Amino acid sequence: MRHSIAMPVRDGQVATTRFAALRHEITKPTLSFLMEAHDGISAKIVEEAGFRGIWASGLTISASLGLRDSNEASWTQVLDVLEYMADASTLPILVDGDTGHGNFNNVRRFVRKLCERGIAGVCIEDKLFPKTNSFLGEAQPLADIDEFCGRIKAGKDSQTDPDFTLVARVEALISGRGMDEAITRAEAYHRAGADAILIHSKKASADEIFRFAEIWANRAPLIIVPTMYYATPTDLFRQAGISTIIWANHLLRSSITAMRQTAAAIQEDESLMRVEGSVATVKDIFQLVGNAELEEAERRYLPAPPAVGAVVLAAGGELGGLPADQPKCMVDIRGQSLLKRLTGTLRECGVQDVTVVRGYRKEAVALPGVAMVDNDRFAETGEAWSLACARNAIRGETVVAYGDVLFRRYILDSLLTSSADVVVAVDAVASVQPWAGKRDLVMADRRYSGDYLDDEPAMLRRMNQYIPASEVAGEWMGLARFSARGTAWLQEEIAALEAEGLLEQADMPLLLTRLAARHPVRVKYFTGHWLDVDTMTDLAEARNVT
């Protein structure tokens, strides 16, 4: 299996496998960069940032497992992590193979398993198993040159893809053996079949790296890890003919800093308020791990759920203070009409089949992909009449919303997941705030308790603008959801109003009150996070919070 990825590279060529992509990065004449990753999500972040290859660091993989960089993680545990990384990203991965996890026999088995998982290359270092991190201690013992050459030959003989890259890491400078031995070892490893040489140093200056590069004279691609000599300008590495730079551990190190700060703040505050605005959103996580692809796959492979429709009542007139030819639902809110923002929220929640009832200046109410129904008697009829104009769209599960409201998505999500056949969104804050003008006040059998654990359902008793203050449980947000059975009840109530000669003047509060007298209508309480855009003040607030 060649692990094809059709990955474009900078010089216009196309690498058809991850193996070929890594080989290209290391052998091309311009400087390449590999960024450290240690798990699936960090691999995705490396790709998102625009890097063209990943360094799977032994240090950071071990540390992410809570282990030391001393071969405490077995090579099979490392393989498991690498498999997640390869699945998460299309980038080629060069894995830090430490010493090869043993002798030549361990190396050849490790290489075969890497090839099976589409890991494009391995770097092995000329130290003894179990390894010790290069930055710990001095004069670490090195492997015998001939024995290490045997590991290189075993690895090259075992690769199942011709483009698999084996990098030999020379530790002579780190261990204090000097430049001559570093060159001697690099020459031997190159003759043994290493595709590239990684020369390592822990000095704050890159002088010995430049000296090695000068002597080495590009006999094979040269890779460096400037963790300690990070202040050296990158252009100097280009001038020295370096093939590839590995940024070796910085994603893990930065994540530790961020996690410490976040954990300390939450522990100190016993609250999320200080940190919530400074951390990645849950939506970011969903995007990184590919939830959109899963949703597309569900649409392809799972039976389609019953479609949810919506009827938006937008027949009302203009907003005072704006030109008289502009319907209220079409006022601009930061570059989008109020109606477009409302239907956008509906569609984000999976409500795709939207019907808008328009009336005032109906020719100005238009939106692609939205069905339009006209109430030409909007000036002399009420909201129930407008709803009746769209009765053909009231079928199956249906959302009914006023055309001049905005609300956070979670409010509609909560209605859509309710088990009730009819559920209305009610703002409980209105029960403790003074109000003026016409508002759809709600009386229910239970008020909002404010207790997070209180999930006892509240049921609608009455809705109108004249409910006494002592009995007000909240204000209806102009948003309701009906199950298939609930829409049947709604159709019956519309027909009953029509038969009684009340439909023309009935508003939605009367319709819902009558419905609640015959059937259970659930009240779902919320605290803010919505707007009824009815005045210029409301419009200004909508523009501020959108």
Side-chain angles (χ1 to χ4, degrees):
M1 188 165 71
R2 294 274 290 171
H3 298 273
S4 297
I5 54 173
M7 182 177 176
V9 292
R10 290 187 182 123
D11 62 3
Q13 298 177 0
V14 174
T16 57
T17 70
R18 300 186 204 226
F19 301 101
L22 179 63
R23 180 168 290 274
H24 175 82
E25 288 301 308
I26 290 176
T27 60
K28 67 186 177 71
T30 54
L31 184 62
S32 293
F33 301 91
L34 301 182
M35 185 68 200
E36 171 263 328
H38 49 273
D39 57 15
I41 199 163
S42 58
K44 283 180 176 289
I45 289 170
V46 171
E47 183 167 14
E48 182 182 67
F51 286 96
R52 303 191 63 79
I54 293 171
W55 169 250
S57 161
L59 166 63
T60 62
I61 289 175
S62 296
S64 69
L65 297 173
L67 301 174
R68 290 175 284 254
D69 187 24
S70 301
N71 292 127
E72 292 183 358
S74 70
W75 67 269
T76 55
Q77 289 173 315
V78 172
L79 273 176
D80 286 342
V81 175
L82 292 171
E83 188 166 8
Y84 282 111
M85 292 172 64
D87 285 346
S89 169
T90 64
L91 295 180
I93 298 172
L94 176 63
V95 60
D96 179 2
D98 294 334
T99 63
H101 301 279
N103 66 8
F104 77 93
N105 193 41
N106 303 86
V107 171
R108 61 184 183 175
R109 181 165 171 77
F110 188 48
V111 167
R112 286 197 299 269
K113 293 301 180 182
L114 292 175
C115 290
E116 288 175 5
R117 287 160 175 77
I119 306 303
V122 66
C123 176
I124 59 174
E125 60 195 72
D126 56 354
K127 292 196 296 194
L128 305 179
F129 178 84
K131 63 85 60 84
T132 301
N133 187 279
S134 299
F135 297 143
L136 297 176
E138 301 294 335
Q140 293 182 14
L142 299 185
D144 175 80
I145 292 178
D146 290 337
E147 186 275 332
F148 189 72
C149 286
R151 291 187 227 170
I152 294 171
K153 292 174 183 177
K156 293 303 293 179
D157 287 345
S158 302
Q159 68 187 51
T160 58
D161 191 289
D163 288 321
F164 181 85
T165 299
L166 190 148
V167 178
R169 174 167 145 179
V170 178
E171 292 282 298
L173 300 180
I174 286 275
S175 65
R177 301 290 187 94
M179 187 64 65
D180 288 344
E181 180 157 352
I183 292 293
T184 297
R185 285 176 174 268
E187 287 177 334
Y189 303 159
H190 180 41
R191 287 195 303 270
D195 298 297
I197 298 296
L198 190 157
I199 183 65
H200 208 14
S201 171
K202 61 179 179 181
K203 292 186 177 180
S205 166
D207 290 348
E208 63 181 3
I209 293 295
F210 291 132
R211 178 59 180 153
F212 182 94
E214 182 182 7
I215 299 171
W216 183 247
N218 285 318
R219 288 172 242 184
L222 189 60
I223 300 174
I224 61 170
V225 186
T227 302
M228 301 302 290
Y229 47 96
Y230 60 87
T232 306
T234 299
D235 274 346
L236 295 182
F237 297 133
R238 287 191 174 93
Q239 295 170 22
I242 301 300
S243 157
T244 304
I245 292 176
I246 292 173
W247 310 120
N249 45 49
H250 294 79
L251 288 191
L252 181 73
R253 287 164 59 189
S254 61
S255 70
I256 289 172
T257 300
M259 287 191 288
R260 279 178 169 158
Q261 292 172 347
T262 300
I266 294 173
Q267 195 279 335
E268 179 181 343
D269 299 348
E270 296 183 347
S271 168
L272 300 177
M273 288 298 294
R274 182 162 35 133
V275 305
E276 188 59 39
S278 61
V279 299
T281 65
V282 175
K283 187 175 181 179
D284 286 338
I285 298 175
F286 292 159
Q287 185 272 327
L288 272 173
V289 300
N291 276 52
E293 188 280 332
L294 177 59
E295 292 174 0
E296 176 61 30
E298 288 174 345
R299 287 191 288 270
R300 187 179 303 119
Y301 301 121
L302 293 178
V308 181
V311 175
V312 177
L313 305 178
E318 77 277 14
L319 185 67
L322 289 180
D325 61 347
Q326 185 175 33
K328 183 163 52 170
C329 67
M330 298 304 290
V331 297
D332 180 85
I333 300 179
R334 291 192 178 275
Q336 293 185 13
S337 68
L338 194 162
L339 183 61
K340 185 173 182 178
R341 289 193 176 276
L342 172 58
T343 56
T345 302
L346 289 168
R347 284 171 169 162
E348 285 177 5
C349 294
V351 182
Q352 301 297 326
D353 186 9
V354 180
T355 299
V356 173
V357 182
R358 59 186 182 177
Y360 177 78
R361 296 306 303 265
K362 64 181 183 180
E363 68 280 357
V365 180
L367 209 57
V370 172
M372 297 292 171
V373 173
D374 297 335
N375 176 10
D376 291 326
R377 298 179 58 198
F378 67 91
E380 58 190 77
T381 57
E383 298 151 354
W385 182 268
S386 286
L387 183 61
C389 290
R391 68 177 76 194
N392 290 338
I394 305 173
R395 56 186 183 276
E397 187 174 5
T398 303
V399 173
V400 175
Y402 285 157
D404 57 359
V405 295
L406 293 172
F407 46 83
R408 295 283 178 85
R409 172 179 171 171
Y410 82 91
I411 294 175
L412 180 54
D413 281 335
S414 181
L415 300 192
L416 291 170
T417 55
S418 172
S419 60
D421 289 306
V422 182
V423 57
V424 294
V426 173
D427 183 5
V429 175
S431 66
V432 295
Q433 289 184 342
W435 61 86
K438 184 179 184 301
R439 294 171 66 185
D440 297 334
L441 303 176
V442 169
M443 181 171 57
D445 64 350
R446 294 183 77 254
R447 287 175 177 250
Y448 175 65
S449 69
D451 185 348
Y452 180 76
L453 299 177
D454 183 5
D455 58 0
E456 188 71 22
M459 308 307 294
L460 179 68
R461 288 292 173 258
R462 215 160 26 107
M463 184 188 298
N464 60 54
Q465 62 177 315
Y466 303 113
I467 294 174
S470 60
E471 298 179 0
V472 172
E475 178 182 2
W476 183 45
M477 298 181 184
L479 181 66
R481 170 248 168 206
F482 301 82
S483 71
R485 183 161 67 163
T487 56
W489 296 343
L490 182 62
Q491 291 277 22
E492 290 171 1
E493 201 56 50
I494 291 172
L497 282 169
E498 189 172 29
E500 296 169 30
L502 301 175
L503 183 61
E504 290 187 9
Q505 301 305 314
D507 59 12
M508 285 300 298
L510 175 62
L511 178 57
L512 290 170
T513 298
R514 287 173 57 108
L515 195 63
R518 300 171 184 262
H519 305 287
V521 175
R522 172 80 180 270
V523 169
K524 192 79 170 180
Y525 286 118
F526 302 91
T527 54
H529 296 165
W530 74 289
L531 278 173
D532 177 7
V533 184
D534 207 37
T535 65
M536 290 299 293
T537 301
D538 296 332
L539 181 59
E541 186 176 356
R543 287 170 174 167
N544 286 334
V545 303
T546 300

